[in-house]
Amino acid sequence: MNDIFKYGIDQLTVPKAIAIASGKLKGVLTPEVISKVQTSYGYVQTIVSQHTTVYGVNTGFGPLCDTKISEEDTRALQYNILQSHSVGVGEPIPEEVARIMLVTKVHALAQGYSGAALATLERIIWHIDNKVTPLVPEKGSVGASGDLAPLSHLFLPLIGLGKVWYKGQVTDTAAMMQAEGIQPIVLGPKEGLALINGTQFILSFAVKAVQRLYNLLEAADIIGALSLEGLMGTAKPFDPRLHNIRPFAGNQLVAHRLKTMLEQSEIMESHVDCGRVQDPYSLRCMPQVHGASRTAWLHLLELTTIELNSVTDNPVIFSAADTISGGNFHGQPMALPLDYATIAAAEIGNISDRRCYMMIEGRYGLPKLLIQDAGLNSGFMIPQYTTAALVTENKTLCFPASADSVPTSLGQEDHVSMGSISGRKLNQVISNVEYILAIELLYAAQAVDFRRPLKSGPILEAVHQYTRSKVSFANKDRIFANDIAALHTIVQDQSLVRVANEAAAQHQLNLNGLYNDQFGLY
């Protein structure tokens, strides 16, 4: 591993955050950053010694902000806050998301506005580098005053409490420390508050959503194009002239991708003069629908990148004489785009389900239910029940969590973002759409087989061949759940998109036009 990332200096991106969390990129503290961290820590020590009243340093928290804490109790205050705020419930969040939380917190603390000790940052980095990941419950954050509950659980192991993933098992922190020969750290004034005030829970779910939704959007174009081939639709709605007079960048990109994938297709050529005037919207309007979701994804990417490089704890320490108790911990700037992206992801599943339904109707020369002997065989009737169920489940998840606010902290925190729920819901919807697209791929591959011996273009032929390497043509009923599971894997693990991109490169086809993978997500 030759590449390094300099915490507090380099620009953190979605791919870099994921790479550090996975161990593919190493994050380090440079002498410059160490100096900034130590200076900030010194400011806090001066505040304590001079008895200057600063929120969270020598006062209580939330509605207890007017309660003064003695100098000798300032360390106990930080220990207590991690314990009292560890009130999360539910299943643990994915280990990868917890590790991204560690990465994003280090990067924020390393900017030198939080008053954290160098030893604290070094211990968090030790957890990252050694893949000793704290166990964090999924529920309990209201997304303002920071993600208090999940971040408290994330940092309990620093003081010897809580649980961690250790060598593949969930282990008590105390047992892990004994095995590793390390001791709990002692938090200094403000450190506990600096650790748990922040948006790293919301942010880390956003990071994963950016990565996963990008893959989903790429796959949706590919699978949609294959469905269009199976349904013998037309490529005319993807003419660039049409999209140049309504120039949304997402629409133009999707239209270009679809047109490119359908070039050199014998199936397309075979029905040029078929007399069909126009296709249903789920085929014809893919640039407009998929493109709108790409616009929402781009908005989420832009704001996530800003948040990745922001300081979101409170108070912010500029000097011993200059501290600001503000609201950078409030999750609203991320909650809104996460809710927007949730609708965008759900719409990809919605239009995919419509294409599935069209393929089993027995239209355009396809056999009803995509099987020759329908009656004795139910064929592909029932997988569309699953897409319908998932589409409706997604609709119930599209209510924007950010539209709600329940006052907390005895009214001190009287408006909260609920962005933690927004981030979790978006990833739930993405998971459902991955299954919907897998079922559409199952249908599309079956439909294209009924067009043989005609072939599609080189990109879609490669996609079809790869699909058939996982799931065979069905000439009678079988347990289609097994097929769905196999195709879900290649949608989810990005390999379907990679196959399409490799085929495009091999045949010198510019699949993304001017929008080549500038985001480094593949």
Side-chain angles (χ1 to χ4, degrees), residues 85-242:
H85 287 53
S86 296
V87 294
V89 298
E91 295 298 315
I93 65 173
E95 185 176 358
E96 183 184 15
V97 177
R99 291 178 59 75
I100 296 170
M101 288 176 69
L102 294 173
V103 170
T104 54
K105 177 57 81 172
V106 171
H107 189 53
L109 295 177
Q111 294 182 52
Y113 297 101
S114 302
L118 177 60
T120 301
L121 273 72
E122 289 174 338
R123 177 59 65 87
I124 300 171
I125 293 171
W126 179 90
H127 277 272
I128 297 167
D129 291 347
N130 290 279
K131 290 186 166 58
V132 180
T133 310
L135 211 69
V136 179
E138 63 182 346
K139 300 176 183 179
S141 172
V142 296
S145 194
D147 292 309
L148 294 174
L151 283 167
S152 296
H153 285 278
L154 186 75
F155 293 119
L156 279 177
L158 297 184
I159 59 174
L161 303 176
K163 296 180 181 294
V164 293
W165 278 288
Y166 179 62
K167 297 184 176 179
Q169 294 185 327
V170 174
T171 306
D172 285 333
T173 296
M176 176 276 293
M177 286 187 164
Q178 185 177 13
E180 290 290 323
I182 60 175
Q183 297 294 320
I185 65 172
V186 178
L187 295 176
K190 192 190 176 290
E191 285 199 273
L193 188 60
L195 291 170
I196 71 170
N197 243 332
T199 60
Q200 283 77 32
F201 182 88
I202 299 172
L203 175 58
S204 297
F205 273 101
V207 165
K208 281 304 297 178
V210 166
Q211 180 198 44
R212 297 178 69 202
L213 184 53
Y214 183 70
N215 172 62
L216 208 67
L217 292 164
E218 296 278 287
D221 295 344
I222 295 161
I223 296 167
L226 195 65
S227 294
L228 186 139
E229 286 277 58
L231 288 160
M232 299 189 96
T234 176
K236 283 186 178 179
F238 314 138
D239 189 312
R241 294 174 299 170
L242 184 65

Side-chain angles (χ1 to χ4, degrees), residues 261-296:
M261 285 186 276
L262 295 167
E263 287 174 358
Q264 304 176 42
S265 167
E266 295 175 1
I267 299 174
M268 282 282 122
E269 289 296 322
S270 72
H271 61 90
V272 169
D273 300 316
C274 67
R276 200 157 114 201
V277 176
Q278 59 184 17
D279 294 329
Y281 288 1
S282 62
L283 298 178
R284 190 183 357 148
C285 299
M286 279 191 279
Q288 290 78 11
V289 177
H290 292 195
S293 292
R294 281 183 178 265
T295 299

Side-chain angles (χ1 to χ4, degrees), residues 330-353:
H330 203 292
Q332 197 79 352
M334 291 303 302
L336 294 179
L338 285 165
D339 283 333
Y340 173 27
T342 301
I343 297 169
E347 279 302 293
I348 293 297
N350 208 346
I351 195 170
S352 174
D353 165 74

